[in-house]
Amino acid sequence: MFFEDFYSHIIEYFLFNEPEDEIFLIQSFFKRIDEEEKLVDTVIKSNLEYLMIDGILQIMTYYRERFYELVKTNKKTEEYTMDIVASSCWTLLSRWHKSGKEESPSRLSKIYLGAFRSVYVALFEDRNQL
């Protein structure tokens, strides 16, 4: 129900607005997770985190075109990329929840995107850019 409600909210938003980038989707999801403390706590305690990862994958699949404008990958690695992004998203959200949600959802989305950039630079570019 959480993911269905989130889909409805996002679809309604996109009907009336045209965000300039995909950060809106990430921030919206993080804000909704922030509001669902009991749900997240239950998921973690029940060891059902795979359900959240599956839900995140569903969101990414639904918004595949926008997602790949941000990620820039090829079709051959598409599924691997989506698994990595969904798993890392949930891992970050789970850690955030367990540590008392000290950062705002907006700050958390910046940390999330920054982490991907840092890993990319560390692996493929000049590490002095970090």
Side-chain angles (χ1 to χ4, degrees), residues 21-32 34 70 88-89 92-93 96 103-117:
D21 57 34
E22 291 75 11
I23 293 173
F24 168 80
L25 184 60
I26 296 167
Q27 287 179 342
S28 295
F29 184 69
F30 286 5
K31 285 178 186 174
R32 285 300 306 275
D34 184 36
L70 179 66
S88 64
C89 178
L92 176 76
L93 289 167
W96 179 58
E103 298 81 11
S104 70
S106 179
R107 174 72 183 127
L108 194 66
S109 64
K110 290 175 184 171
I111 291 169
Y112 181 67
L113 293 172
F116 277 103
R117 177 70 183 144

Side-chain angles (χ1 to χ4, degrees), residues 58-75:
Q58 289 174 13
I59 291 170
M60 288 171 33
T61 300
Y62 189 81
Y63 294 101
R64 175 178 256 123
E65 183 177 313
R66 289 186 178 271
F67 175 74
Y68 284 111
E69 288 173 10
L70 179 66
V71 175
K72 305 284 189 220
T73 189
N74 64 50
K75 294 292 181 190

Side-chain angles (χ1 to χ4, degrees), residues 15-99:
L15 286 175
F16 300 105
N17 300 282
E18 187 60 38
E20 293 181 17
D21 57 34
E22 291 75 11
I23 293 173
F24 168 80
L25 184 60
I26 296 167
Q27 287 179 342
S28 295
F29 184 69
F30 286 5
K31 285 178 186 174
R32 285 300 306 275
I33 288 292
D34 184 36
E35 297 167 359
E36 297 290 340
E37 192 163 335
K38 288 182 182 179
L39 171 67
V40 173
D41 196 44
T42 300
V43 167
I44 291 169
K45 287 179 180 176
S46 301
N47 201 27
L48 297 173
E49 295 177 290
Y50 69 92
L51 293 175
M52 295 302 281
I53 294 169
D54 286 346
I56 294 166
L57 280 169
Q58 289 174 13
I59 291 170
M60 288 171 33
T61 300
Y62 189 81
Y63 294 101
R64 175 178 256 123
E65 183 177 313
R66 289 186 178 271
F67 175 74
Y68 284 111
E69 288 173 10
L70 179 66
V71 175
K72 305 284 189 220
T73 189
N74 64 50
K75 294 292 181 190
K76 190 171 185 178
T77 60
E78 184 174 310
E79 290 180 2
Y80 292 116
T81 302
M82 290 179 69
D83 285 343
I84 290 167
V85 171
S87 298
S88 64
C89 178
W90 176 251
T91 300
L92 176 76
L93 289 167
S94 178
R95 177 180 299 275
W96 179 58
H97 179 81
K98 291 174 186 176
S99 66

